[in-house]
Amino acid sequence: MKILITGGAGYIGSVVAEQLIAAGDSVVVLDNLSQGHRAAVHPAAVFVHGDLTDRPAIDATFEQHRPEAVMHFASHTLVGESMQEPFLYLGENVVCGLNLLQSAVEHQVRRFILSSSANLFDAPERIPIAEMETIVPGSPYGESKHILERMLFWLDRIHDFRYAALRYFNAAGASEERGEDHDPETHLIPIVLRVALGQRDKVVIFGDDYPTRDGTCVRDYVHVLDLAQAHILALRALDKGSRVYNLGNGQGFTNREVVEVAREVTGHSIPAEIGPRRAGDPATLIASSERIRKELGWRPRYADLHTIIESAWRWHRTHPHGYEGL
Ligand code: UFG
C-alpha cells in the first residue's frame, strides 16, 4: 500500500516509515523539518518538504502521489510546552489535523491512522487505563488529540472514513538506525542518556510528592518498534472498521526507577536531583492494551524496560550528536 506519513522525519514517524518499507509498503513523507531531521527519512521514501498549515501543498501532495492511506504523526507533542503555549496545540495542532483531514476526504483517501496520546487520561478511575476510561485531557496537548479523535469519529459516520486512533503511552527505544533526537530534548530517557554520555551534568526529576510508590511520576514505556508494529497491524485491519487502542506494556516505572535502570545499562552514576513539579504531568499513566492484543494479536517484542533503555543507549552511543552531520 502507498502511505502518506506526516511527520515521517520525526522520532516515531521515521521508525514507522522504516518498518513499513521493510514490510513492502511504499511511503511518502510530508514534513516541515521544524522538529524532524532529513537524515531520519528512509532513503526509499519519497520526501516532500511541506507544512500542514499550507492546504494547497497538502492537496498537491495527494494529487501528485495518490496515497491510499495516511498516518498523521506531525504534531507539537510536549505536555509541558502546551501548558505554556496553549495555542500551538489548541490552534496549530488542531488546524493542521483539520487541513489534512479535509484534504484526505476531498481526495477520497479514507484510511487514516492518528498518533493520539495517553495525555487523554489525566484522572483515570482505573489503572491500567483501558479504552473505555473517561477522557479527561491532562493538557492542551491532550485536548488537541481529543479534538482530532472527535473529528475522526464524525468522518467515519459521514464519509465512511476508516481510522485508528493509537494512544501511545511513553514511546522510547530505537531501531538500529533511527532514534530519539529532539532539540531541545525534554524527555526523561534521552536526557538521562545524555548525562551518561557526559553531555549533561545531571537530570532533574520533576517532583517527588506524587501519590506513587516513591513520590515520582509513573509512566509506561513502550518500544518504538512495538509501536511501529501496532501501526502496521492497525493499517491492515482498517477496512474492517475504525478502532481506538491504548498502547503500552501495562507496567509502570517511576522516574527514579528509570534513572536506576539507566545506571545499570550504562554503568554511569547519572547524578539526579529533585526539582519542582512540571505543570500538566499526571501522576500515573499505565496502559491496558488488552484490546489490541485480543483484536489484532499485537505482542510487544521489547516489553522490558532494561531492553528498551539498552536499545536507546546503543543508538545514543552510535549517534552522540543525533542526526547532526549525517
Ligand atoms: N521528567 C523529569 N525530568 C526531565 C524530563 C522528564 O523528571 O528532565 C519526568 C516528567 O516529569 C514525567 C516523566 O519524566 O514525569 C516522563 O516525561 P517525558 O517528558 O519523558 O514524557 P511525558 O510523559 O511528559 O510525555 C510523553 C510524550 C507525550 C505523550 C506522553 C504520554 O512526550 O507526547 O508521553 O504519556 F503524550
mmCIF file of all heavy atoms in Angstrom, residues 76-80 116-120 141-142 145 168-171 180 185-192 200 203-207 210 216-221 255 277-278 280-283 285, ligand 1:
data_model
loop_
_atom_site.group_PDB
_atom_site.id
_atom_site.type_symbol
_atom_site.label_atom_id
_atom_site.label_comp_id
_atom_site.label_asym_id
_atom_site.label_seq_id
_atom_site.Cartn_x
_atom_site.Cartn_y
_atom_site.Cartn_z
ATOM 1 N N HIS A 76 2.886 19.155 17.439
ATOM 2 C CA HIS A 76 3.603 19.543 18.654
ATOM 3 C C HIS A 76 3.237 18.482 19.683
ATOM 4 O O HIS A 76 2.062 18.098 19.773
ATOM 5 C CB HIS A 76 3.156 20.921 19.123
ATOM 6 C CG HIS A 76 3.457 22.003 18.106
ATOM 7 N ND1 HIS A 76 4.731 22.486 17.907
ATOM 8 C CD2 HIS A 76 2.656 22.654 17.239
ATOM 9 C CE1 HIS A 76 4.698 23.404 16.952
ATOM 10 N NE2 HIS A 76 3.453 23.524 16.524
ATOM 11 N N THR A 77 4.207 18.010 20.450
ATOM 12 C CA THR A 77 3.936 16.812 21.271
ATOM 13 C C THR A 77 4.304 16.958 22.743
ATOM 14 O O THR A 77 4.338 15.953 23.455
ATOM 15 C CB THR A 77 4.725 15.600 20.730
ATOM 16 O OG1 THR A 77 6.111 15.943 20.771
ATOM 17 C CG2 THR A 77 4.325 15.225 19.322
ATOM 18 N N LEU A 78 4.552 18.179 23.193
ATOM 19 C CA LEU A 78 5.070 18.285 24.561
ATOM 20 C C LEU A 78 4.021 18.763 25.561
ATOM 21 O O LEU A 78 3.467 19.862 25.424
ATOM 22 C CB LEU A 78 6.276 19.219 24.590
ATOM 23 C CG LEU A 78 7.424 18.789 23.677
ATOM 24 C CD1 LEU A 78 8.555 19.803 23.717
ATOM 25 C CD2 LEU A 78 7.929 17.408 24.067
ATOM 26 N N VAL A 79 3.766 17.905 26.523
ATOM 27 C CA VAL A 79 2.785 18.213 27.566
ATOM 28 C C VAL A 79 3.150 19.535 28.253
ATOM 29 O O VAL A 79 2.326 20.443 28.376
ATOM 30 C CB VAL A 79 2.761 17.058 28.598
ATOM 31 C CG1 VAL A 79 1.911 17.418 29.795
ATOM 32 C CG2 VAL A 79 2.310 15.756 27.941
ATOM 33 N N GLY A 80 4.399 19.651 28.701
ATOM 34 C CA GLY A 80 4.841 20.834 29.447
ATOM 35 C C GLY A 80 4.729 22.101 28.606
ATOM 36 O O GLY A 80 4.196 23.123 29.059
ATOM 37 N N SER A 116 -2.351 9.382 18.682
ATOM 38 C CA SER A 116 -3.007 10.015 19.818
ATOM 39 C C SER A 116 -2.164 9.754 21.063
ATOM 40 O O SER A 116 -1.013 9.306 20.947
ATOM 41 C CB SER A 116 -4.442 9.502 19.940
ATOM 42 O OG SER A 116 -5.136 10.237 20.926
ATOM 43 N N SER A 117 -2.714 10.016 22.234
ATOM 44 C CA SER A 117 -1.828 10.080 23.399
ATOM 45 C C SER A 117 -2.473 9.642 24.699
ATOM 46 O O SER A 117 -3.678 9.830 24.909
ATOM 47 C CB SER A 117 -1.380 11.531 23.557
ATOM 48 O OG SER A 117 -0.697 11.699 24.767
ATOM 49 N N ALA A 118 -1.637 9.149 25.592
ATOM 50 C CA ALA A 118 -2.058 8.843 26.967
ATOM 51 C C ALA A 118 -2.446 10.102 27.722
ATOM 52 O O ALA A 118 -3.070 10.013 28.788
ATOM 53 C CB ALA A 118 -0.917 8.165 27.706
ATOM 54 N N ASN A 119 -2.074 11.260 27.182
ATOM 55 C CA ASN A 119 -2.438 12.501 27.869
ATOM 56 C C ASN A 119 -3.939 12.800 27.796
ATOM 57 O O ASN A 119 -4.421 13.801 28.304
ATOM 58 C CB ASN A 119 -1.586 13.671 27.346
ATOM 59 C CG ASN A 119 -1.579 14.847 28.289
ATOM 60 O OD1 ASN A 119 -2.211 15.879 28.041
ATOM 61 N ND2 ASN A 119 -0.905 14.715 29.414
ATOM 62 N N LEU A 120 -4.711 11.882 27.219
ATOM 63 C CA LEU A 120 -6.184 11.981 27.291
ATOM 64 C C LEU A 120 -6.684 11.635 28.689
ATOM 65 O O LEU A 120 -7.844 11.865 29.005
ATOM 66 C CB LEU A 120 -6.840 10.991 26.321
ATOM 67 C CG LEU A 120 -6.594 11.130 24.826
ATOM 68 C CD1 LEU A 120 -7.462 10.127 24.074
ATOM 69 C CD2 LEU A 120 -6.919 12.533 24.359
ATOM 70 N N TYR A 141 -2.199 19.860 25.008
ATOM 71 C CA TYR A 141 -1.710 18.827 24.087
ATOM 72 C C TYR A 141 -2.708 17.668 24.007
ATOM 73 O O TYR A 141 -3.160 17.276 22.926
ATOM 74 C CB TYR A 141 -0.333 18.337 24.551
ATOM 75 C CG TYR A 141 0.100 17.070 23.865
ATOM 76 C CD1 TYR A 141 0.273 17.035 22.490
ATOM 77 C CD2 TYR A 141 0.309 15.900 24.583
ATOM 78 C CE1 TYR A 141 0.642 15.860 21.845
ATOM 79 C CE2 TYR A 141 0.683 14.735 23.954
ATOM 80 C CZ TYR A 141 0.841 14.721 22.580
ATOM 81 O OH TYR A 141 1.202 13.556 21.960
ATOM 82 N N GLY A 142 -3.056 17.114 25.166
ATOM 83 C CA GLY A 142 -4.018 16.000 25.187
ATOM 84 C C GLY A 142 -5.350 16.429 24.596
ATOM 85 O O GLY A 142 -6.003 15.677 23.864
ATOM 86 N N LYS A 145 -5.382 16.274 20.845
ATOM 87 C CA LYS A 145 -5.545 14.910 20.333
ATOM 88 C C LYS A 145 -7.005 14.463 20.481
ATOM 89 O O LYS A 145 -7.535 13.748 19.624
ATOM 90 C CB LYS A 145 -4.612 13.946 21.076
ATOM 91 C CG LYS A 145 -3.137 14.231 20.858
ATOM 92 C CD LYS A 145 -2.724 13.999 19.400
ATOM 93 C CE LYS A 145 -1.244 14.218 19.197
ATOM 94 N NZ LYS A 145 -0.822 14.019 17.802
ATOM 95 N N TYR A 168 -0.522 6.429 22.278
ATOM 96 C CA TYR A 168 0.757 5.960 22.804
ATOM 97 C C TYR A 168 0.892 6.381 24.247
ATOM 98 O O TYR A 168 0.595 7.518 24.602
ATOM 99 C CB TYR A 168 1.959 6.571 22.081
ATOM 100 C CG TYR A 168 1.877 6.691 20.593
ATOM 101 C CD1 TYR A 168 2.508 7.754 19.964
ATOM 102 C CD2 TYR A 168 1.208 5.753 19.814
ATOM 103 C CE1 TYR A 168 2.478 7.893 18.593
ATOM 104 C CE2 TYR A 168 1.177 5.892 18.437
ATOM 105 C CZ TYR A 168 1.803 6.971 17.839
ATOM 106 O OH TYR A 168 1.777 7.120 16.481
ATOM 107 N N PHE A 169 1.437 5.486 25.041
ATOM 108 C CA PHE A 169 1.901 5.885 26.354
ATOM 109 C C PHE A 169 3.330 6.409 26.116
ATOM 110 O O PHE A 169 3.489 7.200 25.200
ATOM 111 C CB PHE A 169 1.684 4.741 27.355
ATOM 112 C CG PHE A 169 0.202 4.728 27.767
ATOM 113 C CD1 PHE A 169 -0.800 4.560 26.811
ATOM 114 C CD2 PHE A 169 -0.180 4.976 29.068
ATOM 115 C CE1 PHE A 169 -2.159 4.632 27.153
ATOM 116 C CE2 PHE A 169 -1.530 5.046 29.421
ATOM 117 C CZ PHE A 169 -2.515 4.879 28.469
ATOM 118 N N ASN A 170 4.354 6.040 26.840
ATOM 119 C CA ASN A 170 5.621 6.745 26.607
ATOM 120 C C ASN A 170 6.525 5.997 25.631
ATOM 121 O O ASN A 170 7.134 4.997 25.985
ATOM 122 C CB ASN A 170 6.327 6.996 27.937
ATOM 123 C CG ASN A 170 5.645 8.113 28.703
ATOM 124 O OD1 ASN A 170 4.447 8.022 28.976
ATOM 125 N ND2 ASN A 170 6.365 9.162 29.008
ATOM 126 N N ALA A 171 6.616 6.525 24.424
ATOM 127 C CA ALA A 171 7.471 5.909 23.397
ATOM 128 C C ALA A 171 8.931 6.041 23.812
ATOM 129 O O ALA A 171 9.357 7.086 24.315
ATOM 130 C CB ALA A 171 7.244 6.619 22.072
ATOM 131 N N GLU A 180 15.788 8.780 19.033
ATOM 132 C CA GLU A 180 15.140 9.997 19.533
ATOM 133 C C GLU A 180 16.132 11.151 19.555
ATOM 134 O O GLU A 180 17.155 11.081 20.234
ATOM 135 C CB GLU A 180 14.630 9.683 20.951
ATOM 136 C CG GLU A 180 13.580 10.625 21.435
ATOM 137 C CD GLU A 180 12.857 10.101 22.678
ATOM 138 O OE1 GLU A 180 13.167 8.992 23.161
ATOM 139 O OE2 GLU A 180 11.973 10.835 23.154
ATOM 140 N N GLU A 185 15.908 18.774 23.980
ATOM 141 C CA GLU A 185 15.412 17.477 24.486
ATOM 142 C C GLU A 185 14.705 17.702 25.815
ATOM 143 O O GLU A 185 15.235 18.390 26.685
ATOM 144 C CB GLU A 185 16.588 16.505 24.672
ATOM 145 C CG GLU A 185 16.159 15.091 24.996
ATOM 146 C CD GLU A 185 15.160 14.540 23.972
ATOM 147 O OE1 GLU A 185 15.563 14.161 22.867
ATOM 148 O OE2 GLU A 185 13.952 14.504 24.299
ATOM 149 N N THR A 186 13.511 17.162 25.942
ATOM 150 C CA THR A 186 12.772 17.322 27.201
ATOM 151 C C THR A 186 12.368 15.977 27.792
ATOM 152 O O THR A 186 11.796 15.937 28.872
ATOM 153 C CB THR A 186 11.473 18.134 26.968
ATOM 154 O OG1 THR A 186 10.640 17.392 26.060
ATOM 155 C CG2 THR A 186 11.746 19.511 26.401
ATOM 156 N N HIS A 187 12.608 14.879 27.060
ATOM 157 C CA HIS A 187 12.127 13.577 27.516
ATOM 158 C C HIS A 187 13.109 12.906 28.468
ATOM 159 O O HIS A 187 14.330 13.026 28.305
ATOM 160 C CB HIS A 187 11.860 12.660 26.318
ATOM 161 C CG HIS A 187 10.743 13.158 25.462
ATOM 162 N ND1 HIS A 187 10.958 14.010 24.406
ATOM 163 C CD2 HIS A 187 9.414 12.960 25.534
ATOM 164 C CE1 HIS A 187 9.793 14.302 23.851
ATOM 165 N NE2 HIS A 187 8.834 13.681 24.520
ATOM 166 N N LEU A 188 12.529 12.184 29.412
ATOM 167 C CA LEU A 188 13.339 11.644 30.504
ATOM 168 C C LEU A 188 14.464 10.715 30.018
ATOM 169 O O LEU A 188 15.623 10.914 30.387
ATOM 170 C CB LEU A 188 12.431 10.900 31.500
ATOM 171 C CG LEU A 188 13.142 10.348 32.731
ATOM 172 C CD1 LEU A 188 13.770 11.475 33.546
ATOM 173 C CD2 LEU A 188 12.170 9.549 33.599
ATOM 174 N N ILE A 189 14.133 9.705 29.206
ATOM 175 C CA ILE A 189 15.165 8.704 28.871
ATOM 176 C C ILE A 189 16.317 9.318 28.066
ATOM 177 O O ILE A 189 17.488 9.164 28.451
ATOM 178 C CB ILE A 189 14.535 7.456 28.199
ATOM 179 C CG1 ILE A 189 13.713 6.696 29.262
ATOM 180 C CG2 ILE A 189 15.606 6.551 27.578
ATOM 181 C CD1 ILE A 189 12.973 5.465 28.763
ATOM 182 N N PRO A 190 16.055 10.069 26.988
ATOM 183 C CA PRO A 190 17.214 10.653 26.290
ATOM 184 C C PRO A 190 18.005 11.630 27.150
ATOM 185 O O PRO A 190 19.234 11.704 27.019
ATOM 186 C CB PRO A 190 16.598 11.356 25.069
ATOM 187 C CG PRO A 190 15.137 11.242 25.190
ATOM 188 C CD PRO A 190 14.805 10.243 26.234
ATOM 189 N N ILE A 191 17.330 12.336 28.058
ATOM 190 C CA ILE A 191 18.090 13.249 28.934
ATOM 191 C C ILE A 191 19.030 12.453 29.831
ATOM 192 O O ILE A 191 20.218 12.765 29.969
ATOM 193 C CB ILE A 191 17.130 14.129 29.768
ATOM 194 C CG1 ILE A 191 16.545 15.220 28.869
ATOM 195 C CG2 ILE A 191 17.840 14.746 30.977
ATOM 196 C CD1 ILE A 191 15.567 16.154 29.541
ATOM 197 N N VAL A 192 18.500 11.385 30.407
ATOM 198 C CA VAL A 192 19.307 10.557 31.297
ATOM 199 C C VAL A 192 20.506 9.984 30.526
ATOM 200 O O VAL A 192 21.638 9.945 31.030
ATOM 201 C CB VAL A 192 18.401 9.444 31.881
ATOM 202 C CG1 VAL A 192 19.212 8.333 32.465
ATOM 203 C CG2 VAL A 192 17.448 10.035 32.911
ATOM 204 N N ARG A 200 25.533 16.198 29.646
ATOM 205 C CA ARG A 200 24.835 16.975 30.679
ATOM 206 C C ARG A 200 25.377 16.541 32.027
ATOM 207 O O ARG A 200 25.822 15.403 32.164
ATOM 208 C CB ARG A 200 23.335 16.671 30.680
ATOM 209 C CG ARG A 200 22.588 17.229 29.496
ATOM 210 C CD ARG A 200 21.112 16.911 29.697
ATOM 211 N NE ARG A 200 20.316 17.438 28.611
ATOM 212 C CZ ARG A 200 19.216 18.155 28.772
ATOM 213 N NH1 ARG A 200 18.746 18.419 29.977
ATOM 214 N NH2 ARG A 200 18.538 18.600 27.732
ATOM 215 N N VAL A 203 20.404 14.927 35.846
ATOM 216 C CA VAL A 203 18.994 15.002 35.470
ATOM 217 C C VAL A 203 18.237 15.562 36.662
ATOM 218 O O VAL A 203 18.538 15.236 37.818
ATOM 219 C CB VAL A 203 18.437 13.618 35.047
ATOM 220 C CG1 VAL A 203 18.652 12.566 36.129
ATOM 221 C CG2 VAL A 203 16.964 13.694 34.685
ATOM 222 N N VAL A 204 17.291 16.435 36.377
ATOM 223 C CA VAL A 204 16.410 16.946 37.435
ATOM 224 C C VAL A 204 15.092 16.190 37.327
ATOM 225 O O VAL A 204 14.467 16.168 36.262
ATOM 226 C CB VAL A 204 16.154 18.468 37.267
ATOM 227 C CG1 VAL A 204 15.181 18.973 38.331
ATOM 228 C CG2 VAL A 204 17.474 19.231 37.325
ATOM 229 N N ILE A 205 14.695 15.542 38.397
ATOM 230 C CA ILE A 205 13.426 14.809 38.417
ATOM 231 C C ILE A 205 12.343 15.774 38.890
ATOM 232 O O ILE A 205 12.470 16.393 39.962
ATOM 233 C CB ILE A 205 13.520 13.572 39.334
ATOM 234 C CG1 ILE A 205 14.533 12.588 38.741
ATOM 235 C CG2 ILE A 205 12.160 12.924 39.531
ATOM 236 C CD1 ILE A 205 14.758 11.334 39.558
ATOM 237 N N PHE A 206 11.296 15.879 38.068
ATOM 238 C CA PHE A 206 10.277 16.893 38.336
ATOM 239 C C PHE A 206 9.254 16.399 39.361
ATOM 240 O O PHE A 206 8.235 15.813 39.006
ATOM 241 C CB PHE A 206 9.564 17.277 37.038
ATOM 242 C CG PHE A 206 10.481 17.864 35.992
ATOM 243 C CD1 PHE A 206 10.322 17.549 34.643
ATOM 244 C CD2 PHE A 206 11.510 18.728 36.343
ATOM 245 C CE1 PHE A 206 11.161 18.089 33.671
ATOM 246 C CE2 PHE A 206 12.369 19.270 35.384
ATOM 247 C CZ PHE A 206 12.188 18.949 34.042
ATOM 248 N N GLY A 207 9.528 16.661 40.611
ATOM 249 C CA GLY A 207 8.564 16.391 41.688
ATOM 250 C C GLY A 207 8.758 15.027 42.316
ATOM 251 O O GLY A 207 8.981 14.034 41.618
ATOM 252 N N TYR A 210 4.287 13.075 44.414
ATOM 253 C CA TYR A 210 3.108 12.472 43.775
ATOM 254 C C TYR A 210 2.669 11.242 44.583
ATOM 255 O O TYR A 210 3.501 10.620 45.261
ATOM 256 C CB TYR A 210 3.450 12.041 42.334
ATOM 257 C CG TYR A 210 3.606 13.198 41.371
ATOM 258 C CD1 TYR A 210 4.856 13.751 41.112
ATOM 259 C CD2 TYR A 210 2.496 13.733 40.728
ATOM 260 C CE1 TYR A 210 5.001 14.819 40.222
ATOM 261 C CE2 TYR A 210 2.631 14.788 39.830
ATOM 262 C CZ TYR A 210 3.883 15.331 39.588
ATOM 263 O OH TYR A 210 4.022 16.376 38.714
ATOM 264 N N THR A 216 7.678 9.876 42.789
ATOM 265 C CA THR A 216 7.896 10.425 41.441
ATOM 266 C C THR A 216 6.876 9.811 40.467
ATOM 267 O O THR A 216 6.297 8.758 40.748
ATOM 268 C CB THR A 216 9.347 10.179 40.958
ATOM 269 O OG1 THR A 216 9.571 8.778 40.760
ATOM 270 C CG2 THR A 216 10.358 10.714 41.958
ATOM 271 N N CYS A 217 6.664 10.491 39.336
ATOM 272 C CA CYS A 217 5.613 10.055 38.398
ATOM 273 C C CYS A 217 5.897 8.664 37.849
ATOM 274 O O CYS A 217 7.055 8.273 37.669
ATOM 275 C CB CYS A 217 5.542 11.008 37.205
ATOM 276 S SG CYS A 217 4.898 12.614 37.598
ATOM 277 N N VAL A 218 4.815 7.978 37.513
ATOM 278 C CA VAL A 218 4.919 6.630 36.953
ATOM 279 C C VAL A 218 4.487 6.670 35.481
ATOM 280 O O VAL A 218 3.433 7.229 35.154
ATOM 281 C CB VAL A 218 4.012 5.655 37.737
ATOM 282 C CG1 VAL A 218 3.897 4.313 37.024
ATOM 283 C CG2 VAL A 218 4.544 5.460 39.147
ATOM 284 N N ARG A 219 5.308 6.076 34.614
ATOM 285 C CA ARG A 219 4.986 6.028 33.188
ATOM 286 C C ARG A 219 5.168 4.604 32.657
ATOM 287 O O ARG A 219 5.945 3.820 33.186
ATOM 288 C CB ARG A 219 5.911 6.968 32.393
ATOM 289 C CG ARG A 219 5.691 8.440 32.671
ATOM 290 C CD ARG A 219 4.375 8.925 32.113
ATOM 291 N NE ARG A 219 4.141 10.340 32.384
ATOM 292 C CZ ARG A 219 3.569 10.819 33.496
ATOM 293 N NH1 ARG A 219 3.170 9.998 34.444
ATOM 294 N NH2 ARG A 219 3.381 12.111 33.651
ATOM 295 N N ASP A 220 4.482 4.345 31.564
ATOM 296 C CA ASP A 220 4.507 3.037 30.903
ATOM 297 C C ASP A 220 5.287 3.218 29.596
ATOM 298 O O ASP A 220 4.810 3.879 28.662
ATOM 299 C CB ASP A 220 3.044 2.638 30.638
ATOM 300 C CG ASP A 220 2.905 1.294 29.942
ATOM 301 O OD1 ASP A 220 3.888 0.784 29.386
ATOM 302 O OD2 ASP A 220 1.761 0.777 29.935
ATOM 303 N N TYR A 221 6.496 2.672 29.545
ATOM 304 C CA TYR A 221 7.360 2.878 28.376
ATOM 305 C C TYR A 221 7.142 1.774 27.357
ATOM 306 O O TYR A 221 7.127 0.592 27.700
ATOM 307 C CB TYR A 221 8.831 2.944 28.822
ATOM 308 C CG TYR A 221 9.064 4.193 29.633
ATOM 309 C CD1 TYR A 221 8.860 4.190 31.018
ATOM 310 C CD2 TYR A 221 9.389 5.401 29.022
ATOM 311 C CE1 TYR A 221 9.006 5.357 31.761
ATOM 312 C CE2 TYR A 221 9.537 6.572 29.756
ATOM 313 C CZ TYR A 221 9.336 6.541 31.124
ATOM 314 O OH TYR A 221 9.470 7.698 31.848
ATOM 315 N N ASN A 255 9.936 7.667 37.849
ATOM 316 C CA ASN A 255 11.074 8.376 37.250
ATOM 317 C C ASN A 255 12.387 7.961 37.921
ATOM 318 O O ASN A 255 13.417 7.811 37.252
ATOM 319 C CB ASN A 255 10.861 9.887 37.360
ATOM 320 C CG ASN A 255 9.689 10.340 36.506
ATOM 321 O OD1 ASN A 255 9.293 9.642 35.570
ATOM 322 N ND2 ASN A 255 9.123 11.494 36.818
ATOM 323 N N ARG A 277 7.601 20.186 40.493
ATOM 324 C CA ARG A 277 6.730 19.510 39.517
ATOM 325 C C ARG A 277 6.712 20.267 38.202
ATOM 326 O O ARG A 277 6.885 21.492 38.192
ATOM 327 C CB ARG A 277 5.294 19.477 40.035
ATOM 328 C CG ARG A 277 5.045 18.485 41.134
ATOM 329 C CD ARG A 277 3.564 18.522 41.465
ATOM 330 N NE ARG A 277 3.212 17.516 42.457
ATOM 331 C CZ ARG A 277 1.988 17.007 42.597
ATOM 332 N NH1 ARG A 277 0.997 17.434 41.824
ATOM 333 N NH2 ARG A 277 1.734 16.100 43.513
ATOM 334 N N ARG A 278 6.424 19.559 37.109
ATOM 335 C CA ARG A 278 6.203 20.196 35.800
ATOM 336 C C ARG A 278 4.695 20.218 35.559
ATOM 337 O O ARG A 278 4.033 19.183 35.679
ATOM 338 C CB ARG A 278 6.924 19.374 34.731
ATOM 339 C CG ARG A 278 6.860 19.951 33.351
ATOM 340 C CD ARG A 278 7.688 19.145 32.366
ATOM 341 N NE ARG A 278 7.103 17.845 32.096
ATOM 342 C CZ ARG A 278 7.625 16.933 31.262
ATOM 343 N NH1 ARG A 278 8.760 17.182 30.638
ATOM 344 N NH2 ARG A 278 7.022 15.787 31.054
ATOM 345 N N GLY A 280 1.076 19.959 34.176
ATOM 346 C CA GLY A 280 0.461 19.100 33.157
ATOM 347 C C GLY A 280 0.787 17.624 33.316
ATOM 348 O O GLY A 280 0.226 16.793 32.611
ATOM 349 N N ASP A 281 1.703 17.276 34.216
ATOM 350 C CA ASP A 281 2.107 15.868 34.374
ATOM 351 C C ASP A 281 1.120 15.093 35.247
ATOM 352 O O ASP A 281 1.024 15.361 36.448
ATOM 353 C CB ASP A 281 3.485 15.783 35.069
ATOM 354 C CG ASP A 281 4.648 15.949 34.121
ATOM 355 O OD1 ASP A 281 4.443 15.805 32.898
ATOM 356 O OD2 ASP A 281 5.759 16.209 34.609
ATOM 357 N N PRO A 282 0.409 14.110 34.697
ATOM 358 C CA PRO A 282 -0.386 13.240 35.567
ATOM 359 C C PRO A 282 0.543 12.361 36.409
ATOM 360 O O PRO A 282 1.673 12.079 36.002
ATOM 361 C CB PRO A 282 -1.191 12.376 34.581
ATOM 362 C CG PRO A 282 -0.980 12.986 33.232
ATOM 363 C CD PRO A 282 0.295 13.766 33.288
ATOM 364 N N ALA A 283 0.069 11.922 37.578
ATOM 365 C CA ALA A 283 0.919 11.132 38.477
ATOM 366 C C ALA A 283 1.267 9.772 37.863
ATOM 367 O O ALA A 283 2.428 9.371 37.827
ATOM 368 C CB ALA A 283 0.210 10.935 39.816
ATOM 369 N N LEU A 285 0.513 6.953 34.615
ATOM 370 C CA LEU A 285 -0.091 6.553 33.341
ATOM 371 C C LEU A 285 0.392 5.155 32.999
ATOM 372 O O LEU A 285 1.579 4.948 32.713
ATOM 373 C CB LEU A 285 0.314 7.530 32.223
ATOM 374 C CG LEU A 285 -0.256 8.942 32.316
ATOM 375 C CD1 LEU A 285 0.373 9.846 31.258
ATOM 376 C CD2 LEU A 285 -1.777 8.929 32.151
HETATM 377 N N1 UFG B 1 10.871 14.138 33.633
HETATM 378 C C1 UFG B 1 11.741 14.530 34.617
HETATM 379 N N2 UFG B 1 12.842 15.235 34.241
HETATM 380 C C2 UFG B 1 13.117 15.554 32.953
HETATM 381 C C3 UFG B 1 12.214 15.145 31.963
HETATM 382 C C4 UFG B 1 11.092 14.428 32.331
HETATM 383 O O1 UFG B 1 11.535 14.269 35.799
HETATM 384 O O2 UFG B 1 14.143 16.217 32.700
HETATM 385 C C5 UFG B 1 9.678 13.365 34.031
HETATM 386 C C6 UFG B 1 8.380 14.027 33.647
HETATM 387 O O3 UFG B 1 8.006 14.998 34.595
HETATM 388 C C7 UFG B 1 7.447 12.825 33.602
HETATM 389 C C8 UFG B 1 8.366 11.687 33.118
HETATM 390 O O4 UFG B 1 9.693 12.135 33.365
HETATM 391 O O5 UFG B 1 7.009 12.523 34.899
HETATM 392 C C9 UFG B 1 8.238 11.413 31.637
HETATM 393 O O6 UFG B 1 8.376 12.666 30.969
HETATM 394 P P1 UFG B 1 8.658 12.779 29.406
HETATM 395 O O7 UFG B 1 8.853 14.240 29.127
HETATM 396 O O8 UFG B 1 9.727 11.839 29.020
HETATM 397 O O9 UFG B 1 7.320 12.241 28.771
HETATM 398 P P2 UFG B 1 5.790 12.676 29.064
HETATM 399 O O10 UFG B 1 5.175 11.608 29.918
HETATM 400 O O11 UFG B 1 5.686 14.075 29.565
HETATM 401 O O12 UFG B 1 5.174 12.720 27.623
HETATM 402 C C10 UFG B 1 5.373 11.696 26.670
HETATM 403 C C11 UFG B 1 5.232 12.295 25.276
HETATM 404 C C12 UFG B 1 3.823 12.807 25.074
HETATM 405 C C13 UFG B 1 2.830 11.718 25.423
HETATM 406 C C14 UFG B 1 3.074 11.179 26.800
HETATM 407 C C15 UFG B 1 2.140 10.052 27.105
HETATM 408 O O13 UFG B 1 6.136 13.385 25.104
HETATM 409 O O14 UFG B 1 3.686 13.193 23.718
HETATM 410 O O15 UFG B 1 4.412 10.702 26.889
HETATM 411 O O16 UFG B 1 2.331 9.605 28.432
HETATM 412 F F1 UFG B 1 1.577 12.238 25.394
#
